[in-house]
Amino acid sequence: MEQRRQNHKVEAIDTSEMAEEMTVDWRGRPSNPTKHGGMRAAAFVLGLQSFEIMGIAAVGNNLITYVINEMHFSLSNSANVVTNFIGTVFLLALVGGYVSDSYLGSFWTMLIFGFVELSGFILLSVQAHVPQLKPAPCNVNNGEECVVAKGFKSLIFFVALYLVALGSGCMKPNMIAHGADQFNPDDPKQSKKLSTYFNAAYFAFSMGELVALTLLVWVQTHSGMDVGFGVSAAAMAMGLISLVSGTLYYRNKRPQGSILTPIAQVFVAAILKRKQVCPSNPQMLHGSQNNALNDNATFSTDAGSFLHTEKFRFLDKASIKIQDRTNSKESPWRLCTVTQVKQVKILLSVIPIFASTIIFNTILAQLQTFSVQQGSMMNTKLTKSFHIPPASLQSIPYIILLILVPLYDTFFVPFARKFTGHDSGISPLMRIGFGLFSATFSMIAAAIMEKKRRDAAIHSNQIISIFWITPQFLIFGLSEMLTAVGLIEFFYKQSLKGMQAFLTALTYCSYSFGFYLSSLLVSLVNKITTSSGGGVGGGWLGDNNLNKDRLDLFYWLLAGLSFLNFLNYLFWSHWYSHTPSSSSAPSALPQLHGHDTARMEDYNHHRLDDNIP
């Protein structure tokens, strides 16, 4: 018995050492668990995240005002500038994740693109301050003809704007991934702290958004856009200082080389061998036995990767080794290891989970557009002399998050952990599910309140208080805490080693697709309801007057779509969690040695924890 205890201790030490060999310090030497990583190192990344979101959110929220008033673009062109900018930021997250995982690593990617973003803020501030770089000022209300920014002036503006987009987009997934890299998931204590980190990261994000929506927007409004852009640049500079200050404490993961090449090789090999018949015993596939432990593929080889599954079985053909008389070695574009195939299967399996959050972000788009317009039609008086700006309603979810996130992590997670045994209290998949379900009630509250507001305005000629629409923001704040944090944790904890930043980038792409879907949905609803006579004049949303439009019906439509999306998510989350293994898979266990077997058992334990009841 004592000998078995000693063996387990040795296995635990080996596992820890194996994890530490994957990370290095700032000089490229193996990291030391007593000096590097942990919450101390992650705190510097949280500082960067908070300051960066302050800068980018302050620009994004007031950009349309600058484009219309200073650059003299038309309303439609100005709206396109803003939506294209936001969409580009989120889509570029994929580029940042790819560059980081493949070539630079998270730290250097953040440092380089952080200075790119800073240069964009500075250039925006310079243009807003120097009269020669802008069109001449004019007043449309007085009948003056405004000259639209063209040529060099327009070029300067778009170069500055898209430097900001490039820098912010490429930094976003790496801030989350690099902070999470400071924790060793194989260490039970640090695994619990990893869950705390994800909550802290969203707390830092919420704090940055709140400061941007209140203080920085106020500075832009009262001191000018040049000062406002300058403050954004200062915030970004503070974030970079925070990042660099933690250099001595970081655990850094080495880049893996191109992360897309092994994926492409699996698909090409599977297509080339599509006529082959998969063996009934998965151990006959290339790289499934002891040689898998010495695999030199781009993907890291942890033991969990060799648990064969029946999902996407056509991809297993990429691992069929064809015997010939020459006994020559097959090209990696014709023969892949089971590790590569397993990684591609995981990547395909998470896509439906990602897609299930797009509707959620479509709802977020309504809270930033129609709900603000809804608030502008209500009584905004707080006192006789103070009015609540409708745009400030967007700060309500972040105020709620600043309250709920610490409570969730301090009280709910330890309480739930006693019953579930899960480090995060509940699994990321379950957390996402609760968030998607509660988002439906945000739109139900919005529809009910809009009906009340519209009836009061039309039938009683009354303007009700703006506080009536706060429930939809409050509910969505809770929903966002559950969904957004759960999604980030879910993607980061996938066993796609070396692709954490790229997978985290998918969460930001969901924002982009959600906003694009919102624009498409509004156009379709207007077209359908106009042709069917469902609205007064221009359809449900075509009159630019909420007292004539039927925004309440549009909210009910979104509530229905949100609930259907929740049911869709339940199906895919169950499909993801249910991973049928081939009958011969357990026989592979004896062929794994020492800590590799322990790590496979730990992998199976965590996979079961992700099931949704």
Side-chain angles (χ1 to χ4, degrees):
M1 180 67 71
E2 183 62 29
Q3 183 63 38
R4 290 184 63 184
R5 286 199 189 99
Q6 294 296 328
N7 289 340
H8 282 305
K9 289 182 180 179
V10 172
E11 290 172 6
I13 294 173
D14 288 344
T15 302
S16 176
E17 289 177 352
M18 186 174 184
E20 288 301 320
E21 287 174 359
M22 297 171 60
T23 60
V24 296
D25 66 6
W26 68 283
R27 292 182 178 178
R29 302 174 300 186
S31 61
N32 185 333
T34 62
K35 296 181 179 179
H36 304 109
M39 191 58 76
R40 177 183 60 178
F44 293 101
V45 186
L46 293 175
L48 167 64
Q49 184 176 4
S50 187
F51 282 116
E52 192 275 337
I53 196 63
M54 282 184 201
I56 189 70
V59 170
N61 283 299
N62 233 3
L63 182 60
I64 193 167
T65 302
Y66 178 75
V67 174
I68 293 174
N69 295 340
E70 303 288 340
M71 305 303 288
H72 303 157
F73 288 7
S74 67
L75 178 60
S76 58
N77 287 341
S78 298
N80 286 337
V81 167
V82 175
T83 54
N84 290 340
F85 168 70
I86 295 174
T88 301
V89 168
F90 291 132
L91 285 178
L92 283 172
L94 286 176
V95 176
Y98 173 76
V99 170
S100 168
D101 288 336
S102 299
Y103 304 112
L104 295 178
S106 292
F107 175 79
W108 285 106
T109 303
M110 287 188 295
L111 191 62
I112 292 171
F113 286 100
F115 278 102
V116 170
E117 185 175 357
L118 176 61
S119 66
F121 285 134
I122 293 174
L123 191 55
L124 277 175
S125 181
V126 169
Q127 185 191 41
H129 183 72
V130 178
Q132 291 81 3
L133 297 179
K134 298 184 297 181
C138 69
N139 192 334
V140 179
N141 296 329
N142 293 337
E144 297 182 29
E145 184 176 350
C146 297
V147 179
V148 179
K150 294 180 180 179
F152 181 71
K153 297 174 182 178
S154 177
L155 177 64
I156 289 291
F157 169 71
F158 282 109
V159 167
L161 190 64
Y162 281 92
L163 281 174
V164 172
L166 176 63
S168 181
C170 291
M171 286 185 68
K172 285 187 183 302
N174 289 290
M175 289 187 289
I176 296 292
H178 189 60
D181 288 344
Q182 306 313 308
F183 303 91
N184 179 5
D186 296 319
D187 185 329
K189 291 183 179 179
Q190 291 205 19
S191 180
K192 293 180 180 179
K193 291 181 179 179
L194 179 60
S195 175
T196 298
Y197 164 74
F198 286 120
N199 289 315
Y202 219 74
F203 182 89
F205 167 81
S206 302
M207 178 64 75
E209 279 278 8
L210 183 61
V211 173
L213 286 168
T214 53
L215 180 61
L216 299 193
V217 170
W218 184 89
V219 170
Q220 290 175 346
T221 303
H222 291 81
S223 301
M225 296 299 294
D226 54 344
V227 177
F229 290 150
V231 172
S232 290
M236 188 66 236
M238 291 295 294
L240 289 173
I241 291 173
S242 178
L243 173 67
V244 174
S245 298
T247 302
L248 299 179
Y249 304 104
Y250 294 141
R251 289 162 31 110
N252 301 295
K253 287 188 176 179
R254 296 180 183 273
Q256 303 292 311
S258 176
I259 59 175
L260 299 183
T261 299
I263 297 173
Q265 288 174 340
V266 171
F267 285 109
V268 171
I271 292 173
L272 292 176
K273 294 182 176 180
R274 61 190 180 277
K275 296 183 179 180
Q276 298 293 324
V277 178
C278 286
S280 57
N281 186 352
Q283 294 184 56
M284 298 176 65
L285 296 173
H286 176 58
S288 63
Q289 299 185 13
N290 289 339
N291 59 336
L293 297 175
N294 298 315
D295 181 24
N296 292 320
T298 296
F299 293 122
S300 176
T301 59
D302 77 55
S305 298
F306 304 114
L307 187 64
H308 186 265
T309 70
E310 295 296 325
K311 288 181 179 176
F312 306 109
R313 197 157 187 261
F314 68 93
L315 293 176
D316 289 338
K317 295 183 179 183
S319 298
I320 298 176
K321 190 170 184 178
I322 300 177
Q323 301 291 341
D324 57 19
R325 294 179 180 178
T326 61
N327 215 15
S328 59
K329 187 176 180 180
E330 288 189 80
S331 163
W333 291 92
R334 294 187 60 88
L335 179 63
C336 303
T337 65
V338 289
T339 305
Q340 286 176 267
V341 174
K342 173 67 177 177
Q343 302 280 18
V344 175
K345 286 183 177 183
I346 293 174
L347 189 60
L348 291 177
S349 296
V350 301
I351 289 177
I353 304 297
F354 153 78
S356 297
T357 62
I358 293 176
I359 293 290
F360 171 82
N361 287 303
T362 301
I363 293 175
L364 174 62
Q366 312 316 313
L367 295 179
Q368 294 185 359
T369 53
F370 287 119
S371 290
V372 174
Q373 189 178 2
Q374 195 179 4
S376 67
M377 301 288 290
M378 304 175 79
N379 183 2
T380 60
K381 283 185 179 181
L382 185 61
T383 65
K384 290 183 178 181
S385 58
F386 182 78
H387 292 254
I388 300 175
S392 296
L393 293 170
Q394 299 175 62
S395 65
I396 293 177
Y398 301 110
I399 295 173
I400 296 302
L401 287 169
L402 291 178
I403 298 172
L404 288 181
V405 169
L407 292 176
Y408 181 90
D409 192 68
T410 305
F411 297 105
F412 177 77
V413 171
F415 175 77
R417 192 181 289 154
K418 294 179 181 179
F419 298 95
T420 65
H422 199 283
D423 290 340
S424 303
I426 57 177
S427 70
L429 282 178
M430 188 179 293
R431 184 169 181 169
I432 296 170
F434 283 134
L436 295 181
F437 180 69
S438 58
T440 302
F441 293 95
S442 175
M443 287 295 95
I444 291 176
I448 293 173
M449 288 306 104
E450 172 57 16
K451 182 69 164 58
K452 177 181 178 64
R453 185 210 63 78
R454 186 174 182 272
D455 288 346
I458 294 176
H459 303 302
S460 305
N461 199 26
Q462 293 181 352
I463 301 177
I464 65 175
S465 171
I466 196 172
F467 289 106
W468 280 103
I469 67 171
T470 54
Q472 62 209 57
F473 288 95
L474 294 175
I475 297 171
F476 191 83
L478 172 64
S479 176
E480 187 169 19
M481 181 196 72
L482 295 170
T483 303
V485 181
L487 191 65
I488 291 172
E489 184 176 359
F490 169 75
F491 276 122
Y492 184 84
K493 287 186 174 180
Q494 294 303 308
S495 57
L496 282 165
K497 302 300 182 184
M499 289 185 66
Q500 271 71 23
F502 184 79
L503 283 173
T504 305
L506 285 177
T507 65
Y508 292 101
C509 285
S510 176
Y511 285 98
S512 181
F513 293 154
F515 275 75
Y516 290 146
L517 177 60
S518 173
S519 299
L520 177 62
L521 197 59
V522 169
S523 298
L524 286 175
V525 165
N526 268 336
K527 184 175 181 180
I528 294 172
T529 55
T530 299
S531 61
S532 63
V536 181
W540 286 0
L541 305 169
D543 208 293
N544 291 329
N545 183 339
L546 291 186
N547 290 339
K548 296 181 179 179
D549 288 336
R550 295 307 306 267
L551 181 59
D552 56 327
L553 297 181
F554 182 64
Y555 280 150
W556 280 116
L557 173 64
L558 284 174
L561 290 176
S562 178
F563 184 71
L564 291 176
N565 179 64
F566 168 69
L567 298 179
N568 173 66
Y569 171 79
L570 289 181
F571 171 82
W572 289 113
S573 60
H574 176 75
W575 174 83
Y576 171 85
S577 301
H578 180 63
T579 308
S581 302
S582 57
S583 58
S584 58
S587 63
L589 282 172
Q591 300 187 37
L592 300 172
H593 301 287
H595 58 263
D596 293 310
T597 305
R599 291 187 68 186
M600 176 175 281
E601 292 171 352
D602 182 67
Y603 169 82
N604 291 334
H605 170 72
H606 285 290
R607 290 286 293 110
L608 290 174
D609 279 344
D610 274 340
N611 285 329
I612 288 184

